[in-house]
Amino acid sequence: MATLYSTRVRAVGGRAGTVRSEDGILELDLALPQGLGGKGGKTNPEQLFAAGYAACFENAVLHVARAQKAGIADQAVEVTAEVGISPNASGGFQLSVTLETAIQGVDQATAEALVQAAHAVCPYSNAVKGNIDVVLTTKAA
């Protein structure tokens, strides 16, 4: 299958380092969050993952809505991703995700159906399926 898009981001210095995309558009300093014993004050991998997942999932909702001719405007969908990190049983760490989706202009049943369909097509959802617990909450507005 042909790759539709790819990008490269370089990380140096771990959680107290930097990340930079090959085109220089993304360039950020990182810091271990206070909740993990760090000084905080800068972004961290969990925030970056949450941002990417929220944006990608929101677009998946729009993609599904367009395919179903639901007539939903881009600004009618809002996704908030919460990413947590916790120890796992083998001495490592695991992530958890909650995706809170609000969709304006549809009833609750339609909103829930769109979110479920988006979860099936979203690249992030497909990447974490079976590896990360993802909780979906949906609100029609």
Side-chain angles (χ1 to χ4, degrees):
M1 183 179 302
T3 300
L4 299 175
Y5 172 76
S6 70
T7 187
R8 292 171 53 98
V9 175
R10 182 172 160 239
V12 176
R15 286 179 170 270
T18 60
V19 292
R20 184 178 192 281
S21 61
E22 65 184 348
D23 61 9
I25 293 172
L26 174 71
E27 188 167 3
L28 298 168
D29 293 329
L30 304 175
L32 187 66
Q34 289 180 340
L36 293 177
K39 65 179 182 173
K42 298 177 183 168
T43 196
N44 59 67
E46 290 73 32
Q47 288 176 332
L48 295 171
F49 185 73
Y53 203 161
C56 189
F57 194 81
E58 190 265 346
N59 199 72
V61 172
L62 292 171
H63 172 78
V64 168
R66 287 184 186 116
Q68 296 180 8
K69 299 186 183 350
I72 296 173
D74 289 3
Q75 299 302 316
V77 180
E78 182 178 304
V79 176
T80 301
E82 179 180 343
V83 173
I85 186 170
S86 58
N88 66 16
S90 62
F93 298 92
Q94 64 188 22
L95 297 177
S96 60
V97 173
T98 299
L99 297 174
E100 301 169 359
T101 305
I103 306 174
Q104 297 176 4
V106 297
D107 60 39
Q108 185 66 27
T110 301
E112 289 175 7
L114 290 170
V115 166
Q116 287 299 320
H119 194 46
V121 301
C122 175
Y124 276 65
S125 293
N126 286 322
V128 304
K129 196 174 291 176
N131 296 310
I132 296 176
D133 290 331
V134 178
V135 175
L136 302 173
T137 63
T138 308
K139 177 182 164 189

